[in-house]
Amino acid sequence: MIAIAPGTSRIAARARAVDALAARGIETAVLDARILVEEALGVTATDLALRGAEPVGREGAERLGSFLARRAAGEPVARIIGAWEFWGLPFGLSPETLVPRPDTETLVEAALGLRPDGPHRLADLGTGSGCILVALLTEWPSAFGVGLDRSPGALRTAQANAARNGVADRAAFVVGDWAASLAGPFDLVVTNPPYIASHVIAGLSGEVRDHDPRLALDGGPDGLDAYRTILAQVPPLLRPGGHLLVEIGYDQEAALRGLATVHGLGAEVRRDLAGHPRVVVMTAGSEF
């Protein structure tokens, strides 16, 4: 526990939080402190600006001290507050879901660039928090989507997020192993599957290794197990000209292009903001 006195002002508590996290080598100390203070005290940035002299109080002090201790021990901010933003939308988290990452927005952008709004039928394999599916449904108000995951806990989280973001009436959620339990046809299938090679996981940062669900990280000995299954199952479910979009690791472009060719799909690669290959867009038929 990092002690915060109940009589400490909100502004002073934020400064104390920054110092405490920075002292532990956390590079994002300023941002993390702001988020944790606002969440612990139930206040907004405006509240801090206008009423920063008010004391945090006993409950606020205890809650903030606990949050800071967890962050200092390496727990990600998103796990501490149980929520994170993706595509400008709020998403609740659970132990069974990954924290949505900005790189995955590349997949949403790629999907939206393929077609305008319409009565599209979508599937999101390994939906987790539902962030990809929900983001697409908010941008395509005429579309309907199915989110599939092996984890019932993840699906409960995804259902809650669909409701939270106003798309629950156009989303269904199914327990299953990739696309094996789905019936087509689909206009679009999207997925951010586990793609980290098993032997690499031990060397990941503690924030990922110790707090993200291994089921959502471990892609098998070469990181490609999930892709092999998905590529074997999805093509028969796509309409002619339909698309399969997969997120990939920075070094997996060649492997995914090869798998696409084996299964008769055209392939193009979209890069993330850092310039790394991030999404492979595969198309049924000869569009590419």
Side-chain angles (χ1 to χ4, degrees):
M1 177 73 75
I2 295 176
I4 303 290
T8 305
S9 72
R10 292 168 170 176
I11 289 297
R14 185 174 64 183
R16 164 85 169 113
V18 172
D19 291 345
L21 297 181
R24 286 159 175 80
I26 295 175
E27 295 181 358
T28 54
V30 174
L31 174 61
D32 293 358
R34 178 182 65 78
I35 295 172
L36 293 176
V37 167
E38 290 176 6
E39 182 71 17
L41 304 183
V43 299
T44 65
T46 300
D47 293 328
L48 285 174
L50 297 180
R51 292 179 289 277
E54 293 185 11
V56 298
R58 182 180 59 81
E59 290 185 6
E62 291 177 357
R63 187 172 169 84
L64 179 56
S66 174
F67 281 3
L68 293 174
R70 290 167 65 183
R71 182 69 189 106
E75 187 172 351
V77 170
R79 294 292 177 194
I80 296 170
I81 68 176
W84 208 239
E85 185 179 283
F86 179 84
W87 202 253
L89 303 169
F91 287 90
L93 305 177
S94 63
E96 298 86 359
T97 66
L98 290 173
V99 176
R101 291 175 169 83
D103 287 343
T104 301
E105 293 190 354
T106 306
L107 193 155
V108 176
E109 292 171 352
L112 294 174
L114 295 173
R115 58 186 71 205
D117 181 34
H120 314 310
R121 191 163 185 255
L122 322 175
D124 179 14
L125 309 182
T127 193
S129 67
C131 63
I132 297 171
L133 181 61
V134 169
L136 289 173
L137 292 178
T138 61
E139 297 290 343
W140 284 331
S142 301
F144 177 84
V146 178
L148 184 140
D149 205 288
R150 287 178 286 181
S151 165
L155 288 176
R156 286 191 293 271
T157 303
Q159 285 177 309
N161 284 326
R164 183 178 192 175
N165 288 288
V167 300
D169 60 336
R170 295 185 289 114
F173 296 93
V174 179
V175 176
D177 186 11
W178 302 120
S181 58
L182 295 180
F186 290 96
D187 300 290
L188 188 78
V189 176
V190 295
T191 182
N192 177 18
Y195 55 72
I196 299 173
S198 303
H199 68 276
V200 173
I201 292 177
L204 296 176
S205 71
E207 291 191 17
V208 174
R209 181 189 64 243
D210 299 335
H211 297 282
D212 278 346
R214 179 149 185 146
L215 191 66
L217 298 174
D218 193 340
D222 62 358
L224 300 175
D225 280 1
Y227 297 117
R228 293 189 182 96
T229 300
I230 290 166
L231 266 293
Q233 295 174 347
V234 167
L237 302 178
L238 293 175
R239 297 186 194 277
H243 299 89
L244 167 64
L245 280 71
V246 300
E247 180 168 333
I248 63 172
Y250 73 95
D251 59 350
Q252 294 175 320
E253 177 180 353
L256 267 295
R257 285 186 181 276
L259 286 172
T261 299
V262 167
H263 291 280
L265 299 174
E268 284 193 345
V269 171
R270 304 288 191 268
R271 297 180 178 272
D272 59 26
L273 292 176
H276 299 135
R278 182 58 57 187
V279 174
V280 180
V281 180
M282 306 183 195
T283 305
S286 57
E287 183 171 317
F288 288 139

